[in-house]
Amino acid sequence: MEIDVFAAAHRGDWERLEALVRRRRRLTGPEVDELVDLYQRVSTQLSAVRSAGGDPALVGRLSGLVARARAAVVGAHDPAWRDLARFLTRTFPAVVYRLRWWWIAASLGTVAFSTAIAVWLVNDPAAMAAMGTPEDIRAYVEHDFENYYVEHPGASFAAQVWTNNAWAAAQALIFGVFLCLPTVYVLALNGANLGTAGGMMVAHGKGDVFFGLIIPHGLLELTAVFVAAGVGLKLGWTVIDPGGRPRGRALAEEVRAAVAVALGLVLVLFVSGLIEGLVTGWVHTTWLRIGIGVAAEAVFLLYIYTLGRKAYREGETGDITAAPQTAPTAA
């Protein structure tokens, strides 16, 4: 075999295969077919060159090309750290940004409901009396509310808070698929608890204590719950109105995006749990305690509205985008 003649005859195949391998994540159906065909063809050519005792440099070049083409055909994944980096910088923030109006609505509605309950308790002695005996209420506002944040060791309390909040967020997200109603219930329950505590504290002159202990962890924690609820509401609404898509397909797409949000919120709630367990009850300078909570919330919102908006505008949806395990054909 004349190696130079052979190389000249097939160089076009090699260059085309090289180009397809470089673009493997952005191939059209026909290009995927072409990739598979060229991979098989160049593999045969590599065997022919080896059998003829060809140039070692050419054998090395073709061996590397065939190996990379094989990885593209069978869907070899990037290293795990790259998948994680992509998830944190694109997938998760893009989904949260895309669904921002849902969780913003959940936030505003819940805060309004909490505020209404608090105002009602402050201005209606009969409603306040229904919360418990005067002795029970006094114990709560003067001792129990503050003691809740320091009665357990910080690390174990942070773990407990993380677990409880993750469960609340999971309920708000997952059960939303049942036409939104369970998610609305979870929001109402959390809003009622927050409003009751706030109303009791404010009515007894402890408003500064209430906000000084709620704000540090509550901003990020409640935002995470509201995001989960917003995604749950979107799931439920997709069942009601799939938006021109087949209902099964629309729901599957939103569920896959919801999984990404659930995984990301595990990290967000972990941070809020650390703040509640290690900062809220243990940092005694009020402005510093609140400042930590405000900073954490600001970082999260900046993260969503910069990386998330950028990824969303570039087409990231949170749906499955990784290469398949085997290359499909156009048919």
Side-chain angles (χ1 to χ4, degrees), residues 11 13 42 48 95 104-105 135 145 160 229 235 238 266 327-328:
R11 184 172 291 111
D13 288 344
V42 175
V95 179
I104 288 174
E135 292 75 17
F145 183 81
Q160 176 185 346
L235 285 177
T238 300
V266 169

Side-chain angles (χ1 to χ4, degrees), residues 95-173:
V95 179
V96 176
Y97 179 80
R98 175 171 67 87
L99 301 178
R100 64 194 181 281
W101 298 119
W102 289 92
W103 56 265
I104 288 174
S107 305
L108 296 177
T110 306
V111 170
F113 181 59
S114 296
T115 302
I117 290 179
V119 171
W120 176 44
L121 290 177
V122 170
N123 292 283
D124 189 339
M128 181 63 69
M131 294 296 101
T133 65
E135 292 75 17
D136 290 338
I137 295 175
R138 187 179 303 109
Y140 179 79
V141 300
E142 294 182 358
H143 177 264
D144 294 349
F145 183 81
E146 292 182 73
N147 190 61
Y148 169 76
Y149 297 102
V150 295
E151 61 183 347
H152 300 292
S156 62
F157 181 56
Q160 176 185 346
V161 166
W162 181 27
T163 302
N164 292 340
N165 290 337
W167 173 236
Q171 287 178 302
L173 191 156

Side-chain angles (χ1 to χ4, degrees), residues 10 37 70 76 84 93 115 180 254 276:
H10 299 289
D37 179 65
R70 182 187 304 113
L84 178 61
T115 302
C180 304
E254 294 300 337
E276 186 168 357

